[in-house]
Amino acid sequence: MSDYLMEHPLEAERLELKTRREKVLHQLRSLPLTPGMDVLDVGCGTGAVTRILAEKVFPGTVVGVDFSKERLRAAEQIAREAGVENVRYVTADVRTLELGEEQFDLVFSRCLFQYLPGKLGEDTLSAMKRRARAGGTICVADIDGNCLYRYPVDQEMGPILEAFLQELEKAGLDPYVGRKLYSMFHKAGFRDIQVDLLPYYLIPGAADSTTLSVWQMKIKILEKKLREAFPPASRAEQMCERFMTDLANEEILHYNLMFVVQGKV
């Protein structure tokens, strides 16, 4: 597993804060989730989505896999406090995951593949496929063009944000992975491939306080990268202030897209 771009003490809190139940349920609506299913959640982080999957398939079991011991400790604590008993967590990279002969009806991943560019993503998808039972479903949900889309268009900030995404690509981020998922599934030999395109976020006017907090955390986590991309430090700070001001502007529409791609084994 490559270094995680968002590795930071704030990351667990950010993941929990940004994962809103109603949006996740909307993104999961096309999946064949039924009680009694066994599900593998790949790149589960703090388990914010894992717990929703567990609720949908109860009394089936959901196994959450992530390489971060710290975030899985948080996941286990949150699950205990929430009384979610049909989940368990494993610290691993799915490509080398050791679960014996255990296989799953659904193998799922959300917002992971943007951090798995090129062959790393292809190998991860193949590993997910190996973990599914015959006739099982693999689903990957991920975003495309994060932070780029808004109206009115900002002729100054638009190129700056695109330039920053290019810098993040050098650090292992694929900001346009969503549009590539169908081709990845087709290349991997999946059957009955289904593609849904949904809003990941849709912010007409001023963002709410939770959304603003999530973006502030994200900026804090990426602070070093921002300063490297836009020297001197004052320029990076001005850019971030401008972005946050725009998020609180009643006259601006911000939006982003999520591709949800699933296929049968």
Side-chain angles (χ1 to χ4, degrees):
M1 179 70 190
S2 62
D3 292 338
Y4 179 47
L5 178 65
M6 301 296 289
E7 196 63 60
H8 192 278
L10 284 174
E11 180 62 352
E13 182 181 356
R14 185 188 76 90
L15 291 174
E16 284 295 314
L17 196 60
K18 82 183 186 76
T19 308
R20 302 195 184 188
R21 175 183 170 82
E22 68 277 6
K23 292 183 179 180
V24 173
L25 288 172
H26 183 63
Q27 293 158 7
L28 297 177
R29 76 187 194 284
S30 64
L31 290 181
L33 291 168
T34 57
M37 290 179 66
D38 295 319
V39 178
L40 181 65
D41 184 12
V42 178
C44 66
T46 56
V49 177
T50 318
R51 298 191 300 274
I52 296 173
L53 291 168
E55 176 187 326
K56 299 289 286 184
V57 303
F58 184 85
T61 299
V62 182
V63 178
V65 176
D66 200 279
F67 74 95
S68 171
K69 293 181 180 179
E70 178 184 353
R71 280 184 285 282
L72 290 186
R73 280 195 294 269
E76 290 170 346
Q77 179 178 345
I78 295 169
R80 282 196 302 271
E81 292 174 351
V84 181
E85 298 181 352
N86 60 324
V87 296
R88 75 178 196 270
Y89 295 102
V90 178
T91 305
D93 182 326
V94 70
R95 294 173 299 163
T96 56
L97 179 63
E98 296 181 2
L99 288 176
E101 298 299 316
E102 187 172 5
Q103 290 187 303
F104 300 87
D105 303 297
L106 170 67
V107 183
F108 177 78
S109 182
R110 178 180 179 272
C111 294
L112 171 67
F113 275 63
Q114 60 190 285
Y115 302 107
L116 305 175
K119 190 174 185 302
L120 187 55
E122 293 177 357
D123 290 346
T124 299
L125 186 60
S126 294
M128 292 171 65
K129 186 178 183 182
R130 291 194 298 271
R131 281 294 168 184
R133 294 188 174 110
T137 300
I138 308 295
C139 178
V140 176
D142 222 315
I143 58 179
D144 197 278
N146 195 8
C147 81
L148 289 181
Y149 306 128
R150 54 163 281 167
Y151 193 85
V153 175
D154 188 323
Q155 299 296 342
E156 179 183 358
M157 281 292 288
I160 291 174
L161 292 172
E162 289 183 5
F164 184 52
L165 288 182
Q166 290 173 5
E167 289 298 314
L168 293 182
E169 285 186 78
K170 299 175 185 177
L173 178 75
D174 186 346
Y176 306 104
V177 73
R179 67 189 67 176
K180 302 173 183 177
L181 292 174
Y182 171 77
S183 293
M184 292 172 64
F185 271 66
H186 188 271
K187 182 179 179 180
F190 285 96
R191 301 181 294 106
D192 303 328
I193 302 171
Q194 177 180 325
V195 180
D196 289 297
L197 182 60
L198 306 169
Y200 177 62
Y201 60 71
L202 181 61
I203 309 172
D208 60 50
S209 59
T210 300
T211 299
L212 291 173
S213 294
V214 169
W215 276 103
Q216 286 167 346
M217 288 180 182
K218 192 166 189 175
I219 288 170
K220 180 66 176 176
I221 292 169
L222 293 172
E223 183 177 19
K224 182 179 178 181
K225 294 292 183 184
L226 284 160
R227 292 188 176 189
E228 291 173 352
F230 302 107
S234 59
R235 183 185 177 209
E237 291 170 1
Q238 289 170 1
M239 186 189 79
C240 293
E241 288 175 3
R242 170 75 176 278
F243 183 81
M244 293 303 300
T245 298
D246 286 351
L247 273 179
N249 190 332
E250 289 286 358
E251 298 179 359
I252 299 175
L253 170 74
H254 291 87
Y255 64 99
N256 196 14
L257 304 173
M258 170 169 272
F259 285 84
V260 181
V261 182
Q262 59 181 298
K264 295 287 186 180
V265 175

Coordinates of all heavy atoms in Angstrom, one line a residue, residues 110-179:
R110 N -15.5 2.4 -1.0 CA -16.0 3.8 -1.3 C -14.9 4.8 -1.0 O -14.3 4.8 0.1 CB -17.2 4.1 -0.5 CG -17.8 5.5 -0.6 CD -19.0 5.6 0.3 NE -19.6 7.0 0.3 CZ -19.3 8.0 1.1 NH1 -18.3 7.8 1.9 NH2 -19.9 9.1 1.0
C111 N -14.6 5.6 -1.9 CA -13.6 6.7 -1.8 C -12.2 6.2 -1.4 O -11.5 6.9 -0.7 CB -14.1 7.7 -0.7 SG -15.5 8.7 -1.2
L112 N -11.8 5.0 -2.0 CA -10.5 4.5 -1.8 C -9.7 4.6 -3.1 O -8.5 4.9 -3.0 CB -10.6 3.0 -1.3 CG -9.2 2.3 -1.3 CD1 -8.3 2.8 -0.3 CD2 -9.5 0.8 -1.1
F113 N -10.3 4.3 -4.2 CA -9.5 4.1 -5.4 C -8.9 5.4 -5.9 O -8.0 5.4 -6.7 CB -10.4 3.5 -6.5 CG -10.5 2.0 -6.5 CD1 -11.0 1.4 -5.3 CD2 -10.0 1.3 -7.5 CE1 -11.0 0.0 -5.3 CE2 -10.0 -0.1 -7.4 CZ -10.5 -0.8 -6.3
Q114 N -9.4 6.6 -5.4 CA -8.7 7.8 -5.8 C -7.3 7.9 -5.3 O -6.4 8.6 -5.8 CB -9.5 9.0 -5.3 CG -9.6 9.1 -3.8 CD -10.6 10.1 -3.3 OE1 -10.3 11.3 -3.3 NE2 -11.8 9.7 -2.9
Y115 N -7.0 7.0 -4.3 CA -5.6 7.0 -3.7 C -4.9 5.8 -4.2 O -3.8 5.4 -3.7 CB -5.7 6.9 -2.2 CG -6.5 8.0 -1.5 CD1 -7.7 7.9 -1.0 CD2 -5.9 9.3 -1.5 CE1 -8.4 8.9 -0.5 CE2 -6.6 10.4 -0.9 CZ -7.8 10.2 -0.4 OH -8.5 11.2 0.1
L116 N -5.4 5.1 -5.3 CA -4.8 3.9 -5.8 C -4.6 4.1 -7.3 O -5.3 3.5 -8.1 CB -5.6 2.7 -5.6 CG -6.0 2.4 -4.1 CD1 -7.0 1.2 -4.0 CD2 -4.8 2.1 -3.3
P117 N -3.7 4.9 -7.8 CA -3.6 5.2 -9.2 C -3.0 4.1 -10.0 O -2.2 3.2 -9.5 CB -2.6 6.4 -9.2 CG -1.8 6.2 -8.0 CD -2.7 5.7 -6.9
G118 N -3.5 4.0 -11.3 CA -2.9 3.0 -12.2 C -3.0 1.6 -11.8 O -4.1 1.1 -11.4
K119 N -1.9 0.9 -11.9 CA -1.8 -0.6 -11.6 C -2.2 -0.9 -10.2 O -2.8 -2.0 -9.9 CB -0.4 -1.1 -11.9 CG -0.4 -2.6 -11.9 CD 1.0 -3.1 -12.4 CE 1.0 -4.7 -12.5 NZ 0.7 -5.3 -11.2
L120 N -2.0 0.0 -9.3 CA -2.3 -0.3 -7.9 C -3.8 -0.4 -7.7 O -4.3 -1.3 -7.0 CB -1.8 0.9 -7.0 CG -2.0 0.8 -5.5 CD1 -1.3 -0.5 -5.0 CD2 -1.4 2.0 -4.8
G121 N -4.6 0.4 -8.4 CA -6.0 0.2 -8.4 C -6.5 -1.0 -9.1 O -7.4 -1.7 -8.7
E122 N -5.9 -1.4 -10.2 CA -6.2 -2.6 -11.0 C -5.9 -3.8 -10.1 O -6.8 -4.7 -10.1 CB -5.4 -2.6 -12.3 CG -5.8 -1.6 -13.3 CD -4.9 -1.6 -14.5 OE1 -4.0 -2.4 -14.6 OE2 -5.2 -0.8 -15.5
D123 N -4.8 -3.8 -9.5 CA -4.5 -5.0 -8.6 C -5.4 -5.1 -7.4 O -5.8 -6.2 -7.0 CB -3.0 -4.9 -8.1 CG -2.0 -5.1 -9.2 OD1 -2.4 -5.5 -10.3 OD2 -0.8 -4.7 -8.9
T124 N -5.9 -4.0 -6.9 CA -6.8 -4.0 -5.8 C -8.2 -4.5 -6.2 O -8.8 -5.3 -5.5 CB -6.9 -2.6 -5.2 OG1 -5.6 -2.1 -4.7 CG2 -7.9 -2.5 -4.0
L125 N -8.6 -4.1 -7.4 CA -9.9 -4.6 -7.9 C -9.8 -6.1 -8.2 O -10.8 -6.8 -7.9 CB -10.2 -3.8 -9.2 CG -11.6 -4.1 -9.8 CD1 -12.7 -3.7 -8.9 CD2 -11.8 -3.4 -11.2
S126 N -8.7 -6.5 -8.7 CA -8.6 -8.0 -8.9 C -8.6 -8.7 -7.6 O -9.2 -9.8 -7.4 CB -7.2 -8.3 -9.6 OG -7.2 -7.8 -10.9
A127 N -8.0 -8.2 -6.5 CA -8.0 -8.8 -5.2 C -9.4 -8.8 -4.6 O -9.8 -9.8 -4.0 CB -7.1 -8.1 -4.2
M128 N -10.2 -7.7 -4.9 CA -11.6 -7.7 -4.4 C -12.4 -8.8 -5.1 O -13.2 -9.5 -4.5 CB -12.2 -6.3 -4.7 CG -11.6 -5.2 -3.8 SD -12.1 -3.5 -4.3 CE -13.9 -3.6 -4.0
K129 N -12.1 -9.0 -6.4 CA -12.8 -10.0 -7.2 C -12.6 -11.4 -6.6 O -13.5 -12.2 -6.6 CB -12.4 -9.9 -8.7 CG -13.2 -10.8 -9.6 CD -12.7 -10.6 -11.0 CE -13.5 -11.5 -12.0 NZ -13.0 -11.3 -13.4
R130 N -11.3 -11.6 -6.2 CA -11.0 -13.0 -5.7 C -11.7 -13.3 -4.4 O -11.9 -14.4 -4.0 CB -9.5 -13.1 -5.5 CG -8.7 -13.1 -6.7 CD -7.2 -13.5 -6.5 NE -6.5 -12.6 -5.6 CZ -5.8 -11.6 -6.0 NH1 -5.8 -11.3 -7.3 NH2 -5.2 -10.8 -5.1
R131 N -12.2 -12.2 -3.7 CA -12.8 -12.4 -2.4 C -14.3 -12.6 -2.5 O -15.0 -12.8 -1.5 CB -12.5 -11.2 -1.5 CG -11.1 -11.2 -0.9 CD -11.1 -12.4 0.1 NE -9.7 -12.7 0.5 CZ -9.4 -13.7 1.3 NH1 -10.3 -14.5 1.7 NH2 -8.1 -13.9 1.7
A132 N -14.9 -12.5 -3.7 CA -16.3 -12.6 -3.9 C -16.7 -14.1 -4.2 O -16.0 -14.8 -4.9 CB -16.8 -11.7 -5.0
R133 N -17.8 -14.5 -3.7 CA -18.4 -15.8 -4.1 C -18.8 -15.8 -5.6 O -19.1 -14.7 -6.1 CB -19.6 -16.1 -3.2 CG -19.3 -16.3 -1.8 CD -20.5 -16.8 -1.0 NE -20.1 -17.1 0.4 CZ -20.5 -16.4 1.4 NH1 -21.3 -15.3 1.3 NH2 -20.1 -16.7 2.7
A134 N -19.0 -16.9 -6.1 CA -19.5 -17.0 -7.5 C -20.9 -16.4 -7.5 O -21.7 -16.7 -6.7 CB -19.6 -18.5 -7.9
G135 N -21.1 -15.5 -8.5 CA -22.3 -14.8 -8.6 C -22.4 -13.5 -7.7 O -23.4 -12.8 -7.7
G136 N -21.3 -13.3 -6.9 CA -21.3 -12.1 -6.0 C -21.1 -10.8 -6.7 O -20.8 -10.8 -8.0
T137 N -21.2 -9.8 -6.0 CA -21.1 -8.4 -6.6 C -19.9 -7.7 -6.0 O -19.6 -7.8 -4.8 CB -22.4 -7.6 -6.2 OG1 -23.5 -8.2 -6.7 CG2 -22.3 -6.2 -6.8
I138 N -19.2 -7.0 -6.9 CA -18.1 -6.1 -6.5 C -18.6 -4.7 -6.9 O -19.2 -4.4 -7.9 CB -16.8 -6.3 -7.3 CG1 -16.4 -7.8 -7.3 CG2 -15.7 -5.4 -6.8 CD1 -16.0 -8.2 -5.9
C139 N -18.4 -3.7 -5.9 CA -18.8 -2.4 -6.2 C -17.8 -1.4 -5.7 O -17.2 -1.6 -4.6 CB -20.2 -2.0 -5.4 SG -20.7 -0.3 -5.7
V140 N -17.4 -0.4 -6.6 CA -16.5 0.6 -6.2 C -17.2 2.0 -6.4 O -17.8 2.2 -7.5 CB -15.2 0.6 -7.0 CG1 -14.3 1.8 -6.7 CG2 -14.5 -0.7 -6.8
A141 N -17.2 2.8 -5.4 CA -17.8 4.1 -5.5 C -16.7 5.2 -5.3 O -16.0 5.1 -4.3 CB -18.9 4.3 -4.5
D142 N -16.5 6.1 -6.2 CA -15.5 7.1 -6.0 C -15.8 8.3 -6.8 O -16.6 8.3 -7.7 CB -14.1 6.6 -6.4 CG -13.1 7.0 -5.4 OD1 -13.1 8.2 -5.0 OD2 -12.2 6.2 -5.0
I143 N -15.1 9.4 -6.5 CA -15.5 10.7 -7.0 C -14.6 11.1 -8.2 O -13.7 10.4 -8.5 CB -15.3 11.8 -5.9 CG1 -13.9 11.8 -5.3 CG2 -16.3 11.5 -4.8 CD1 -13.7 12.9 -4.2
D144 N -15.0 12.2 -8.8 CA -14.3 12.6 -10.0 C -14.2 14.2 -10.0 O -15.3 14.9 -9.9 CB -15.1 12.2 -11.2 CG -14.3 12.2 -12.5 OD1 -14.2 13.3 -13.1 OD2 -13.8 11.2 -12.9
G145 N -13.0 14.7 -10.1 CA -12.8 16.1 -10.2 C -13.1 16.9 -9.0 O -13.7 18.0 -9.0
N146 N -12.7 16.4 -7.8 CA -13.0 16.9 -6.5 C -12.6 18.4 -6.5 O -11.5 18.8 -6.8 CB -12.2 16.2 -5.5 CG -12.7 16.5 -4.1 OD1 -13.7 17.1 -3.9 ND2 -12.0 16.0 -3.1
C147 N -13.5 19.2 -6.0 CA -13.4 20.7 -5.7 C -13.4 21.5 -7.0 O -13.3 22.8 -6.9 CB -12.2 21.0 -4.8 SG -10.6 21.1 -5.7
L148 N -13.6 21.0 -8.2 CA -13.4 21.8 -9.4 C -14.7 22.4 -9.9 O -14.7 23.5 -10.5 CB -12.9 20.9 -10.6 CG -11.5 20.4 -10.5 CD1 -11.1 19.6 -11.7 CD2 -10.5 21.6 -10.4
Y149 N -15.9 21.8 -9.5 CA -17.1 22.2 -10.2 C -17.9 23.3 -9.4 O -18.3 23.0 -8.3 CB -18.0 21.0 -10.5 CG -17.2 19.9 -11.3 CD1 -17.2 18.6 -10.8 CD2 -16.5 20.3 -12.4 CE1 -16.5 17.7 -11.5 CE2 -15.8 19.3 -13.1 CZ -15.8 18.0 -12.7 OH -15.1 17.1 -13.3
R150 N -18.2 24.4 -10.1 CA -19.0 25.4 -9.4 C -19.6 26.3 -10.5 O -19.1 26.4 -11.7 CB -18.1 26.3 -8.5 CG -16.9 26.8 -9.1 CD -16.2 27.9 -8.3 NE -16.9 29.2 -8.5 CZ -16.8 30.3 -7.8 NH1 -15.9 30.3 -6.8 NH2 -17.4 31.4 -8.1
Y151 N -20.6 27.1 -10.1 CA -21.1 28.1 -11.0 C -21.6 29.3 -10.1 O -22.3 29.0 -9.1 CB -22.3 27.6 -11.8 CG -22.6 28.6 -12.9 CD1 -21.9 28.6 -14.1 CD2 -23.6 29.6 -12.7 CE1 -22.2 29.5 -15.1 CE2 -23.9 30.5 -13.7 CZ -23.2 30.5 -14.9 OH -23.5 31.4 -15.9
P152 N -21.3 30.5 -10.4 CA -20.6 31.0 -11.6 C -19.1 30.5 -11.6 O -18.5 30.3 -10.6 CB -20.6 32.5 -11.5 CG -21.7 32.8 -10.6 CD -21.8 31.7 -9.6
V153 N -18.6 30.3 -12.8 CA -17.2 29.8 -13.0 C -16.3 30.9 -12.5 O -16.5 32.1 -12.7 CB -16.9 29.5 -14.5 CG1 -15.5 29.1 -14.7 CG2 -17.8 28.3 -14.9
D154 N -15.2 30.5 -11.8 CA -14.2 31.5 -11.3 C -13.0 31.3 -12.2 O -12.3 30.3 -12.1 CB -13.9 31.2 -9.9 CG -13.0 32.2 -9.2 OD1 -12.1 32.7 -10.0 OD2 -13.1 32.5 -8.0
Q155 N -12.7 32.3 -13.1 CA -11.7 32.2 -14.0 C -10.3 32.3 -13.4 O -9.3 31.8 -13.9 CB -11.8 33.3 -15.1 CG -13.0 33.3 -15.9 CD -13.2 32.0 -16.8 OE1 -12.2 31.4 -17.0 NE2 -14.4 31.7 -17.2
E156 N -10.2 32.8 -12.1 CA -9.0 32.8 -11.4 C -8.7 31.6 -10.6 O -7.6 30.9 -10.7 CB -8.9 34.0 -10.5 CG -7.6 34.1 -9.7 CD -7.7 35.3 -8.7 OE1 -8.7 36.0 -8.6 OE2 -6.7 35.4 -8.0
M157 N -9.7 31.1 -9.8 CA -9.5 30.0 -9.0 C -9.5 28.6 -9.7 O -8.8 27.7 -9.3 CB -10.6 29.9 -7.9 CG -10.3 30.9 -6.7 SD -8.9 30.4 -5.7 CE -9.5 29.0 -4.9
G158 N -10.3 28.6 -10.8 CA -10.4 27.3 -11.5 C -9.0 26.8 -12.0 O -8.7 25.6 -11.6
P159 N -8.2 27.5 -12.6 CA -6.8 27.0 -13.0 C -5.9 26.7 -11.8 O -5.1 25.8 -11.9 CB -6.3 28.2 -13.9 CG -7.5 28.9 -14.4 CD -8.5 28.8 -13.3
I160 N -6.1 27.5 -10.7 CA -5.3 27.2 -9.5 C -5.7 25.9 -8.9 O -4.8 25.1 -8.6 CB -5.5 28.4 -8.5 CG1 -4.9 29.7 -9.0 CG2 -4.9 28.0 -7.1 CD1 -5.2 30.9 -8.1
L161 N -7.0 25.6 -8.8 CA -7.4 24.3 -8.3 C -7.0 23.1 -9.2 O -6.5 22.1 -8.7 CB -8.9 24.3 -8.1 CG -9.4 25.2 -7.0 CD1 -10.9 25.3 -7.1 CD2 -9.0 24.8 -5.6
E162 N -7.0 23.3 -10.5 CA -6.6 22.3 -11.4 C -5.1 22.1 -11.3 O -4.6 20.9 -11.3 CB -6.9 22.7 -12.9 CG -8.4 22.6 -13.2 CD -8.7 22.9 -14.7 OE1 -7.7 23.1 -15.4 OE2 -9.8 23.0 -15.0
A163 N -4.3 23.1 -11.1 CA -2.9 23.0 -10.9 C -2.6 22.2 -9.6 O -1.6 21.4 -9.5 CB -2.2 24.4 -10.9
F164 N -3.4 22.5 -8.5 CA -3.1 21.8 -7.3 C -3.4 20.3 -7.4 O -2.7 19.5 -6.9 CB -4.0 22.4 -6.2 CG -3.7 21.8 -4.8 CD1 -2.4 21.7 -4.3 CD2 -4.7 21.4 -4.0 CE1 -2.2 21.1 -3.1 CE2 -4.5 20.8 -2.8 CZ -3.2 20.7 -2.3
L165 N -4.5 20.0 -8.1 CA -4.8 18.6 -8.3 C -3.7 17.9 -9.1 O -3.4 16.7 -8.8 CB -6.1 18.4 -9.1 CG -7.4 18.7 -8.3 CD1 -8.6 18.5 -9.2 CD2 -7.5 17.9 -7.0
Q166 N -3.1 18.6 -10.0 CA -1.9 18.0 -10.7 C -0.8 17.7 -9.8 O -0.1 16.7 -9.9 CB -1.5 19.0 -11.9 CG -2.5 19.1 -13.0 CD -2.1 20.1 -14.0 OE1 -1.0 20.8 -13.9 NE2 -3.0 20.3 -15.0
E167 N -0.6 18.6 -8.8 CA 0.5 18.4 -7.8 C 0.1 17.2 -6.9 O 1.0 16.4 -6.6 CB 0.7 19.6 -6.9 CG 1.3 20.8 -7.6 CD 2.7 20.5 -8.1 OE1 3.5 19.9 -7.3 OE2 3.0 20.8 -9.3
L168 N -1.1 17.0 -6.6 CA -1.5 15.9 -5.8 C -1.4 14.6 -6.6 O -1.2 13.5 -6.0 CB -3.0 16.1 -5.3 CG -3.2 17.2 -4.3 CD1 -4.7 17.3 -3.9 CD2 -2.3 17.1 -3.1
E169 N -1.6 14.6 -7.9 CA -1.4 13.4 -8.7 C 0.1 12.9 -8.5 O 0.3 11.7 -8.5 CB -1.7 13.7 -10.2 CG -3.1 13.8 -10.5 CD -3.4 14.0 -12.0 OE1 -3.3 13.0 -12.7 OE2 -3.6 15.1 -12.4
K170 N 1.0 13.8 -8.4 CA 2.4 13.4 -8.2 C 2.6 12.7 -6.9 O 3.5 11.9 -6.7 CB 3.3 14.6 -8.3 CG 3.3 15.4 -9.6 CD 4.1 16.6 -9.6 CE 4.0 17.4 -10.9 NZ 4.8 18.7 -10.8
A171 N 1.7 13.0 -5.9 CA 1.8 12.4 -4.6 C 0.9 11.2 -4.4 O 0.8 10.6 -3.4 CB 1.3 13.5 -3.5
G172 N 0.3 10.7 -5.6 CA -0.4 9.4 -5.5 C -1.9 9.6 -5.6 O -2.6 8.6 -5.3
L173 N -2.5 10.7 -5.8 CA -3.9 10.9 -5.9 C -4.3 10.8 -7.4 O -3.7 11.4 -8.3 CB -4.3 12.3 -5.4 CG -5.8 12.6 -5.5 CD1 -6.6 11.8 -4.4 CD2 -6.1 14.1 -5.3
D174 N -5.4 10.2 -7.7 CA -6.1 10.2 -9.0 C -7.4 10.9 -8.9 O -8.4 10.4 -8.5 CB -6.3 8.8 -9.5 CG -6.8 8.8 -11.0 OD1 -7.2 9.9 -11.5 OD2 -6.8 7.8 -11.6
P175 N -7.4 12.3 -9.2 CA -8.6 13.0 -8.9 C -9.7 12.8 -9.9 O -10.8 13.2 -9.8 CB -8.1 14.5 -9.1 CG -6.9 14.4 -10.0 CD -6.3 13.1 -9.6
Y176 N -9.4 12.0 -11.0 CA -10.4 11.7 -12.0 C -10.7 10.2 -12.1 O -11.0 9.7 -13.2 CB -9.9 12.2 -13.4 CG -9.6 13.7 -13.3 CD1 -8.3 14.1 -13.3 CD2 -10.6 14.7 -13.2 CE1 -7.9 15.4 -13.2 CE2 -10.3 16.0 -13.2 CZ -8.9 16.4 -13.1 OH -8.6 17.7 -13.1
V177 N -10.5 9.5 -11.0 CA -10.6 8.0 -11.0 C -12.1 7.6 -11.3 O -12.3 6.5 -11.9 CB -10.1 7.4 -9.7 CG1 -11.1 7.6 -8.6 CG2 -9.9 5.9 -9.9
G178 N -13.1 8.4 -10.9 CA -14.5 8.0 -11.1 C -14.8 7.6 -12.5 O -15.4 6.5 -12.7
R179 N -14.4 8.4 -13.4 CA -14.7 8.2 -14.9 C -13.9 6.9 -15.4 O -14.3 6.4 -16.5 CB -14.4 9.4 -15.7 CG -12.9 9.7 -15.8 CD -12.6 11.0 -16.4 NE -13.1 12.2 -15.6 CZ -12.9 13.4 -16.0 NH1 -12.2 13.7 -17.1 NH2 -13.3 14.4 -15.2

